[in-house]
């Protein structure tokens, strides 16, 4: 099948050809026709399957049928969970609308809102936004959604995971009831199905891949290793394999920072990205990673969501996620667009339960191996004893020292709560 056979206009076919694409991906082949027919769509698609073009191309074609109004009210709204994904979608919209009379912009938190407001005041047809900044500007009266014809929720499952459900419902209440709605999600959880039933009208169900499956061309391997030897093993893999583009996942922001520092000391250029990093720092780290000046990008799950890294060869789970679905999202970063990729998971004895959860979700066993010289020796009992000893040592510290730590911990806790309260605003 060709893009032309999908019924796309000459202007869009020209833009697609300019990007070097010749045949549509499965999600594009299945989603574009019903969207062009004006139907609501509920689509399940993993990252890297071409889903952005799957909704951008038909949306642009339908919008282009009506000549732009002089003041250009917002006619299409695309909601995304993260700044990185918002920027990626915006880039795609610009590239595909290059031969159309269409204006678009993107808004997200973590940066000065004034340039965004100036662009909005000039008028845009398509707005890509994260929920927090969108509601901020709505509350300030800087934009209106009263003329929205298309509402797209991209990676809706991640938006729910990040606590945006109330924000999403608020946005839905502000857009016209008569509209075309598209919802894209990596999984069809009960929450997603409930959200879809509340906002979609007789939707067409589209699935590019079976729910919760991993890319066929991703070579998955788990390596059993002691917790204390993980950094040494990851260094060995990268150096001996001469790997130059590696995405590594940790569970926490602190863990990402700590691993990045250790890799730098070992002579492996790296950068950490997570929610506490400024938007400029995250953009700089990603740019360095793409051009090769940074070999390793260490990320938390939320920070990595929506990263557009073509032909990424290696993904390493430094720590396994405690939510099995997140494993699918993580390794979906490699093996994209028909390319092969490798996903490695370093598994401590205390993470075996996570492995079983992932295997149950996937319906298959993950290959397990041990690297000579890194044979695991930890036991659950030893790890529990170590944790108890650390706790006891903390209690034996001088009271003045503990008070200082307590004050610091209290301040940190206070800052954490403040950060959480500002989370949606920063998004």
């Amino acid at each position: 099948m060709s893009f032309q056979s999908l019924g796309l206009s000459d202007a869009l076919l020209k833009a697609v050809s300019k990007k070097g694409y010749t045949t549509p991906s499965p999600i594009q082949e299945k989603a574009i026709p019903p969207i062009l027919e004006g139907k609501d769509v509920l689509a399940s698609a993993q990252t890297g399957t071409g889903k952005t073009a799957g909704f951008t191309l038909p949306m642009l074609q339908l919008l282009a049928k009506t000549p732009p109004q002089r003041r250009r009210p917002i006619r299409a709204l695309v909601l995304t969970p993260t700044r990185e994904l918002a920027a990626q979608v915006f880039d795609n919209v610009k590239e595909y609308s290059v031969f159309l009379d269409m204006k678009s912009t993107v808004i997200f938190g973590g940066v000065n809102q004034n340039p965004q407001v100036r662009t909005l005041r000039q008028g845009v047809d398509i707005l890509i936004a994260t929920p927090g900044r969108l509601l901020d500007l709505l509350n300030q009266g800087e934009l209106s959604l009263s003329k929205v014809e298309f509402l797209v929720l991209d990676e809706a499952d991640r938006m729910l995971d990040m606590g945006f459900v109330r924000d999403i419902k608020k946005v839905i209440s502000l857009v016209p009831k008569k509209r075309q709605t598209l919802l894209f999600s990596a999984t069809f959880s009960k929450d997603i199905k409930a959200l879809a039933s509340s906002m979609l009208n007789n939707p067409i169900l589209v699935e590019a891949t079976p729910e919760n499956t991993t890319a066929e061309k991703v070579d998955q391997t788990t390596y059993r290793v002691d917790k204390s030897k993980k950094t040494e093993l990851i260094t060995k893999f990268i150096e001996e394999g001469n790997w130059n583009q590696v995405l590594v996942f940790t569970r926490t922001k602190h863990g990402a920072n700590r691993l990045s520092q250790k890799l730098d000391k070992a002579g492996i250029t790296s950068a950490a990205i997570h929610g506490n990093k400024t938007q400029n720092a995250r953009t700089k780290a990603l740019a360095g990673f793409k051009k090769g000046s940074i070999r390793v990008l260490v990320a938390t799950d939320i920070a990595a969501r929506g990263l557009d890294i073509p032909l990424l060869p290696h993904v390493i789970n430094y720590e396994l996620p405690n939510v099995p679905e997140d494993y699918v999202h993580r390794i979906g970063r490699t093996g994209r667009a028909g390319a092969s990729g490798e996903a490695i998971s370093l598994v401590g004895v205390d993470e075996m339960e996570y492995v079983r959860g992932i295997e149950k979700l996937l319906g298959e066993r993950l290959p397990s191996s041990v690297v000579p010289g890194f044979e695991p020796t930890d036991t659950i009992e030893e790890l529990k004893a170590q944790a108890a000893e650390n706790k006891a040592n903390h209690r034996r510290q001088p009271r003045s020292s503990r008070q200082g730590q307590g004050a610091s911990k209290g301040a940190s806790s206070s800052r954490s709560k403040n950060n959480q309260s500002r989370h949606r605003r920063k998004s």
Side-chain angles (χ1 to χ4, degrees), residues 140-202:
Q140 295 173 39
E142 296 292 353
L143 59 88
S144 170
L145 302 179
S146 64
K147 301 294 183 181
V148 168
E149 302 168 26
F150 289 87
L151 175 62
V152 182
L153 265 64
D154 194 11
E155 300 204 355
D157 52 333
R158 181 56 60 176
M159 278 196 271
L160 296 189
D161 290 344
M162 293 172 67
F164 286 131
V165 63
R166 187 175 299 176
D167 292 348
I168 292 171
K169 290 180 178 178
K170 176 67 174 176
V171 171
I172 292 172
S173 72
L174 296 173
V175 298
K177 289 185 178 180
K178 187 179 179 181
R179 64 175 191 271
Q180 186 171 357
T181 307
L182 315 174
L183 191 154
F184 284 73
S185 173
T187 60
F188 283 162
S189 65
K190 290 181 180 178
D191 290 338
I192 286 294
K193 290 174 181 176
L195 178 64
S197 66
S198 70
M199 63 182 291
L200 299 177
N201 181 30
N202 296 321

Side-chain angles (χ1 to χ4, degrees), residues 11-12 15 28 67 80 86 140 145 183 231 264 275 297 314 321 379 398 418:
L12 291 173
Q28 293 162 2
T80 72
Q140 295 173 39
L145 302 179
L183 191 154
T231 302
D264 282 336
L297 195 63
H314 306 286
T379 66
N418 289 336

Side-chain angles (χ1 to χ4, degrees), residues 3 14-23:
F3 280 103
K14 189 176 177 182
V16 168
S17 177
K18 185 178 179 182
K19 282 181 65 69
Y21 298 137
T22 55
T23 57

Side-chain angles (χ1 to χ4, degrees), residues 269-301:
T269 54
S270 69
I273 60 168
H274 49 67
N276 284 357
K277 294 284 187 178
T278 65
Q279 182 62 32
N280 286 339
R282 291 159 73 168
T283 301
K284 183 179 179 181
L286 183 57
F289 185 62
K290 285 184 175 180
K291 72 180 183 181
S293 59
I294 293 174
R295 294 175 66 184
V296 180
L297 195 63
V298 187
T300 54
D301 287 294

Side-chain angles (χ1 to χ4, degrees), residues 251-273:
R251 276 198 216 106
T252 66
K253 303 168 188 176
H254 176 65
N257 287 336
R258 187 169 49 195
L259 177 58
S260 179
Q261 291 166 1
K262 289 181 178 179
L263 290 172
D264 282 336
K265 287 181 180 178
I268 297 172
T269 54
S270 69
I273 60 168

Side-chain angles (χ1 to χ4, degrees), residues 199-211:
M199 63 182 291
L200 299 177
N201 181 30
N202 296 321
I204 301 298
L205 185 65
V206 171
E207 292 186 80
T209 55
E211 183 177 352

Side-chain angles (χ1 to χ4, degrees), residues 147-393:
K147 301 294 183 181
V148 168
E149 302 168 26
F150 289 87
L151 175 62
V152 182
L153 265 64
D154 194 11
E155 300 204 355
D157 52 333
R158 181 56 60 176
M159 278 196 271
L160 296 189
D161 290 344
M162 293 172 67
F164 286 131
V165 63
R166 187 175 299 176
D167 292 348
I168 292 171
K169 290 180 178 178
K170 176 67 174 176
V171 171
I172 292 172
S173 72
L174 296 173
V175 298
K177 289 185 178 180
K178 187 179 179 181
R179 64 175 191 271
Q180 186 171 357
T181 307
L182 315 174
L183 191 154
F184 284 73
S185 173
T187 60
F188 283 162
S189 65
K190 290 181 180 178
D191 290 338
I192 286 294
K193 290 174 181 176
L195 178 64
S197 66
S198 70
M199 63 182 291
L200 299 177
N201 181 30
N202 296 321
I204 301 298
L205 185 65
V206 171
E207 292 186 80
T209 55
E211 183 177 352
N212 293 326
T213 59
T214 52
E216 293 180 3
K217 293 194 175 184
V218 178
D219 183 15
Q220 304 172 65
T221 309
T222 64
Y223 289 92
R224 289 177 285 117
V225 61
D226 287 346
K227 193 173 184 178
S228 61
K229 295 180 181 177
K230 284 188 175 184
T231 302
E232 187 180 350
L233 181 55
I234 218 173
T235 302
K236 174 183 173 68
F237 282 142
I238 293 169
E239 289 184 337
E240 292 187 0
N242 195 28
W243 295 350
N244 290 313
Q245 200 175 42
V246 187
L247 178 60
V248 181
F249 284 97
T250 61
R251 276 198 216 106
T252 66
K253 303 168 188 176
H254 176 65
N257 287 336
R258 187 169 49 195
L259 177 58
S260 179
Q261 291 166 1
K262 289 181 178 179
L263 290 172
D264 282 336
K265 287 181 180 178
I268 297 172
T269 54
S270 69
I273 60 168
H274 49 67
N276 284 357
K277 294 284 187 178
T278 65
Q279 182 62 32
N280 286 339
R282 291 159 73 168
T283 301
K284 183 179 179 181
L286 183 57
F289 185 62
K290 285 184 175 180
K291 72 180 183 181
S293 59
I294 293 174
R295 294 175 66 184
V296 180
L297 195 63
V298 187
T300 54
D301 287 294
I302 288 178
R305 190 71 168 178
L307 290 183
D308 182 23
I309 308 169
L311 306 179
L312 178 66
H314 306 286
V315 168
I316 298 179
N317 291 302
Y318 184 80
E319 297 161 319
L320 283 176
N322 51 13
V323 178
E325 287 82 1
D326 284 342
Y327 175 84
V328 176
H329 295 315
R330 287 182 178 188
I331 75 166
R333 300 291 156 198
T334 187
R336 298 171 63 169
S340 60
E342 183 174 20
I344 288 173
S345 299
L346 307 186
V347 182
V349 65
D350 56 335
E351 295 176 291
M352 290 307 298
E353 184 178 344
Y354 299 152
V355 174
R356 289 189 285 270
I358 292 166
E359 290 176 336
K360 182 178 179 181
L361 178 72
L362 299 179
E364 62 180 285
R365 295 292 298 272
L366 294 176
S368 179
S369 185
V370 173
V371 177
F374 291 86
E375 294 82 1
T377 59
D378 286 342
T379 66
I380 288 290
E381 290 73 20
E382 288 173 341
L383 291 177
K384 287 181 178 178
Q386 182 63 49
E389 182 180 345
N390 291 339
K391 191 173 183 180
N393 287 337

Side-chain angles (χ1 to χ4, degrees), residues 136-143:
D136 273 352
L137 297 186
L138 276 167
N139 291 334
Q140 295 173 39
E142 296 292 353
L143 59 88

